[in-house]
Amino acid sequence: MSAAIRPYWKNFIGGSWVDASDGGRLPVIDPATGEQICEVARGTGEDIDAAVAAARTCFNSRVLLDMPPHERGALMFRIADELEEAADEIALVECHDNGKTLEKGRAEIPLTQRYLRYYGGMADKLEGRQIPLGSGMLDYTIHAPFGVSAQIVPWNGPLPVGARSIACALVTGNTVVLKSPEDSPLSLYLFAEACERAGVPAGAVNIVCGIGAEAGAALVAHPDIDHIVFTGSVETGKSVLRAAAERVIPCIMELGGKSGGIVFPDADLDQVAESAAAGIFKHAGQICSAGSRLIVHRSVYDEVVARLVARAESLGVGPGIEDHEMGPVISAHQLERIVALCRTGVEEGATLATGGDRVAGLEGFFMSPTVFTDVRPDMRIAQEEFFGPVVVVIPFDDTEEAIEIANGTDYGLAAGLYTRDLGLAHRVADRLVAGQVYVNQWWAGGVETPFGGMKRSGYGREKGQEALLGYVQTKNVGIRL
Ligand code: NAD
């Protein structure tokens, strides 16, 4: 138990910090030790009702809408500034409830501030169109908010993922009820405190932690929400969409991935190994756009595998708070899932080049950095998301085959390729069915680049200017003068 972590955290509803309606609490577990570090209020359906009512009242009051857009933008800048005060505590809770390394925990703050300032800066730049209808007529479009935006974020990056959706919603005049992830809820409470200090109107941002099947399901099925932003798994996403369909609510769906990077024979293999290792071992592979498949030309296959295995075996694994290179996975359940899928890989005939099991001698939920070779594209380990530090390496002989393998899963979140031939890079990038394509660097991009899925990885875009359009609906006004 870490003495520095507050023992109990309440939900933030209508500008007040409140217990769960029935007094219930949830334990928060440190994945690096398996021990409980604190408790949070366990939000109920009644708490979700209260949060939606607060968001509705705030939306109807027009307090955000009556603010000039540049003032809504300034509010984002103030939240970003206020986060500074909480920086040390955010890094600490990210290590203890999420398993992030200290370096990654610290990096969440400037990243979140970038999102807030990026969208704050766009608040007064979202312009409509004037449409020519001939003399005597004036026609123009308005970007109208939806109303109450219901947001569900996963545990792997709750602060930046939550903050970017909240920022988009607020600058466009929506209000928000966010159901925070039960496995790593703490950083979003600190975000809510920053909102409070920054003067965000009461009810504009409500944060309720709870179990997905309880509070999450109650939120997405609530009769008084107008918009859903969901980040999580495909299976849960489908149930969210079913609830949304009942009331015809628009959704932004950010779901899973099984993203593949293609290594052409002319690539810089040292760079490939560095980039591919970062792409799968960062945050123990618990990133939706992790590079979980590496599709390597047969002529350089052995060399790439050797470099990748060397990188995997040299990684320092241990508690994030001690600033190892790779921390634990989020839960015992997740660790068991990953190990079981590794066993399936061996049964399917793939070769474990390294890893494949939990790290011996460590108490928490630590998975060994794992590399599978001799993998066929149709194997379960090449099709299913591990959401852990496991990469499968698949050989190919010609470019068409590589593209077919890269596109050959249900997912379409990200894809990548490594080559010195820019003509080839453009041609292949064009053919990859993915929302983002990285050339010569996994995760080439940033806050400014639109992010989201194709196929079962979802639809709608977060990040970049495009994201804002997911938070508004076009209203056309036609006037006979
Ligand atoms: P998950 O689907 O189990 O949970 C995501 C969130 O949904 C949690 O807050 C959970 O409480 C909530 N939830 C669960 N059941 C619900 C229900 N019936 N109704 C409403 N909400 C419910 O996913 P996870 O295991 O927490 O996260 C990992 C998954 O998220 C992976 O598949 C990963 O690829 C995906 N992910 C995607 C992105 C992206 O931007 N595309 C980002 C991060 C994670």
Side-chain angles (χ1 to χ4, degrees):
M1 161 104 184
S2 171
I5 291 190
R6 306 178 207 173
Y8 173 55
W9 307 66
K10 298 182 182 186
N11 288 321
F12 186 61
I13 298 177
S16 301
W17 293 93
V18 294
D19 292 313
S21 61
D22 62 1
R25 295 184 178 199
L26 281 171
V28 179
I29 307 295
D30 183 340
T33 61
E35 286 173 18
Q36 179 174 327
I37 47 169
C38 64
E39 290 180 308
V40 299
R42 175 179 181 152
T44 62
E46 226 174 283
D47 296 316
I48 292 294
D49 287 347
V52 173
R56 173 63 58 199
T57 302
C58 181
F59 182 74
N60 287 350
S61 76
R62 298 188 60 87
V63 59
L64 282 177
L65 284 173
D66 288 345
M67 251 184 223
H70 69 88
E71 284 184 17
R72 295 201 291 267
L75 198 52
M76 299 307 109
F77 279 75
R78 287 206 296 280
I79 302 171
D81 293 344
E82 289 298 338
L83 275 182
E84 208 59 59
E85 191 177 301
D88 287 344
E89 198 174 358
I90 289 172
L92 184 78
V93 301
E94 288 289 11
C95 284
H96 284 296
D97 79 347
N98 193 299
K100 286 195 188 333
T101 61
L102 200 50
E103 185 193 357
K104 180 106 178 43
R106 288 204 182 102
E108 299 286 90
I109 296 119
L111 174 62
T112 304
Q113 289 172 321
R114 278 281 293 128
Y115 279 123
L116 289 160
R117 291 175 181 138
Y118 182 81
Y119 290 113
M122 281 190 68
D124 54 358
K125 296 171 192 69
L126 194 61
E127 296 167 349
R129 290 191 297 147
Q130 187 266 318
I131 298 168
L133 289 183
S135 62
M137 297 295 291
L138 173 65
D139 192 284
Y140 57 91
T141 62
I142 293 171
H143 291 299
F146 286 103
V148 176
S149 175
Q151 308 191 346
I152 302 216
V153 296
W155 44 262
N156 63 338
L159 179 64
V161 173
R164 74 187 183 204
S165 298
I166 289 174
C168 285
L170 295 185
V171 300
T172 48
N174 297 281
T175 58
V176 178
V177 177
L178 183 147
K179 205 291 283 173
S180 57
E182 56 271 42
D183 283 325
S184 67
L186 304 184
S187 58
L188 279 167
Y189 295 120
L190 295 164
F191 178 81
E193 288 180 358
C195 288
E196 213 180 1
R197 290 195 297 276
V200 172
V205 173
N206 304 275
I207 297 201
V208 180
C209 185
I211 302 283
E214 299 171 4
L219 177 58
V220 295
H222 199 286
D224 203 25
I225 60 164
D226 304 301
H227 177 246
I228 294 175
V229 183
F230 175 78
T231 309
S233 63
V234 176
E235 275 319 303
T236 312
K238 287 182 193 169
S239 75
V240 169
L241 284 172
R242 282 190 284 271
E246 282 301 315
R247 295 190 41 261
V248 199
I249 301 282
C251 297
I252 298 170
M253 304 302 288
E254 298 282 2
L255 307 177
K258 188 76 179 176
S259 305
I262 303 174
V263 183
F264 288 99
D266 68 332
D268 174 339
L269 298 189
D270 287 331
Q271 187 198 9
V272 168
E274 199 54 41
S275 178
I280 189 62
F281 299 135
K282 185 172 175 185
H283 198 21
Q286 304 167 109
I287 300 179
C288 49
S289 51
S292 50
R293 294 181 301 147
L294 203 60
I295 303 154
V296 183
H297 193 269
R298 209 176 289 276
S299 65
V300 291
Y301 188 86
D302 291 344
E303 273 184 85
V304 169
V305 168
R307 284 170 159 89
L308 198 54
V309 167
R311 187 72 193 107
E313 290 179 347
S314 72
L315 269 184
V317 182
I321 197 70
E322 294 169 9
D323 218 13
H324 292 273
E325 285 172 285
M326 197 180 95
V329 298
I330 189 73
S331 61
H333 169 73
Q334 185 62 8
L335 179 62
E336 282 158 20
R337 246 199 81 246
I338 296 167
V339 171
L341 194 49
C342 284
R343 277 197 213 107
T344 304
V346 173
E347 284 159 20
E348 285 178 307
T351 302
L352 253 181
T354 188
D357 212 338
R358 63 182 304 157
V359 178
L362 285 178
E363 281 301 307
F365 315 132
F366 293 94
M367 179 69 199
S368 305
T370 299
V371 180
F372 270 106
T373 57
D374 302 319
V375 178
R376 288 193 320 273
D378 62 338
M379 288 179 174
R380 274 184 60 196
I381 55 167
Q383 293 289 327
E384 294 179 20
E385 192 181 28
F386 277 91
F387 219 57
V390 182
V391 61
V392 300
V393 193
I394 307 171
F396 75 91
D397 292 299
D398 65 62
T399 303
E400 280 305 313
E401 184 191 3
I403 294 170
E404 196 179 313
I405 296 170
N407 289 339
T409 75
D410 273 350
Y411 294 106
L413 190 56
L417 61 115
Y418 300 88
T419 177
R420 290 183 165 97
D421 178 346
L422 270 187
L424 178 68
H426 282 295
R427 286 195 300 279
V428 174
D430 200 44
R431 300 270 307 279
L432 292 172
V433 184
Q436 286 205 326
V437 177
Y438 312 126
V439 179
N440 290 332
Q441 184 196 310
W442 201 261
W443 290 311
V447 164
E448 309 84 346
T449 49
F451 178 82
M454 294 184 178
K455 300 196 283 183
R456 252 55 68 209
S457 291
Y459 48 78
R461 292 293 176 264
E462 293 284 357
K463 303 167 70 167
Q465 296 187 24
E466 230 167 306
L468 274 190
L469 298 177
Y471 293 77
V472 290
Q473 47 195 337
T474 301
K475 180 191 285 184
N476 188 82
V477 181
I479 304 174
R480 173 166 295 285
L481 296 172

